[in-house]
Amino acid sequence: MMRSLIDIAELSLEEIDSLLATANDIIDNPQKYSEKCKGKKLATLFFEPSTRTRLSFEAAMYELGGNVLGFSEAQSSSAAKGESIADTAKTVSCYADIIAMRHPKEGAPLVASMNASIPVINAGDGGHNHPTQTLADLLTIKREKGRFDNLTVGLCGDLKFGRTVHSLINALRRYNNVKFVLISPNELRVPEYIRESLKKENFEIVETTDLEAAMPQLDILYMTRVQRERFFNEEEYLRLRDSYILTPEKLTNAKSDLSILHPLPRVNEISVGVDQDPRACYFKQVLNGKYMRMALILMLLGVE
Ligand code: NCD
């Protein structure tokens, strides 16, 4: 059966384990994979800006021996002429074997997957979800901490519009004894629907505006950018954008084995002074994203 990946919850825990195992094997034996996708094509349909996600999908496909086609802005595609997502998906299905799509509208990759005859991967849909960033985050957590259970995870910044946050919560909530500390300004709290569903499962969540007070208990600190492009009002963005700036001083009370993650791009949320700290994992996370996308492409294309 043909499969897409629109939401991280579509993957069972066994499938996530298997993707992690494949990614680790790719890291150890890259040459084994260098021709696995020979003759296959990935289409990257990016209706929104991207550096990491699009280039890591493309690098992933090249490292599997496959080819890549696509566009990196809506203005250069027929969307600018008014073509629907459904028609674009049907068209691209004639040219490629798999699609990675990013779109500013929530649900657009889902619509594409319902109309395409090839697998569609959600590479970020509006302020909703970003499952492949979560795969990168999971590999990073696994390699740094060796586990997903019994972790206190602080998520800090724009928890309202940050799609990577929503997907990461939905992945980690399935493990045992994970505690979320949600650190944001009141205006940028995690959406009500996510909070309610966590409460319904009696999940332990703490909401706070105070990063430094939360710091000592954290095993993971996931920093995020305030999502300027999702604000209706620039003044509101300017008021909130520097709510949290992680500096070496603020890490004084942190655990010695804390892992600091950030999906990037960073604007101001982490001062460059933190980059030298051995607890900073965000550039490793970038590399891990490529390996997990390689593993995912293999899985969705049914390559052994
Ligand atoms: C994230 C995104 O696009 O949601 N970037 C990424 O894919 N690594 C995070 C962000 O833009 O803030």
Side-chain angles (χ1 to χ4, degrees), residues 48-50 52-53 102 123 130 133 163-164 225 227 229-230 262-265 293:
E48 241 192 11
S50 170
R52 268 151 299 274
T53 305
R102 167 170 289 187
H130 194 346
Q133 179 61 48
R163 56 194 173 196
T164 65
R225 168 181 75 91
Q227 307 277 302
E229 64 276 36
R230 315 262 177 248
H262 190 309
L264 304 181
R293 290 182 175 104

Side-chain angles (χ1 to χ4, degrees), residues 161-188:
F161 296 118
R163 56 194 173 196
T164 65
V165 168
H166 309 156
S167 291
L168 184 58
I169 289 176
N170 283 334
L172 290 178
R173 66 190 294 171
R174 295 193 284 173
Y175 295 94
N176 295 317
N177 192 27
V178 173
K179 183 174 155 192
F180 294 117
V181 183
L182 306 176
I183 308 153
S184 73
N186 277 324
E187 294 87 342
L188 300 177

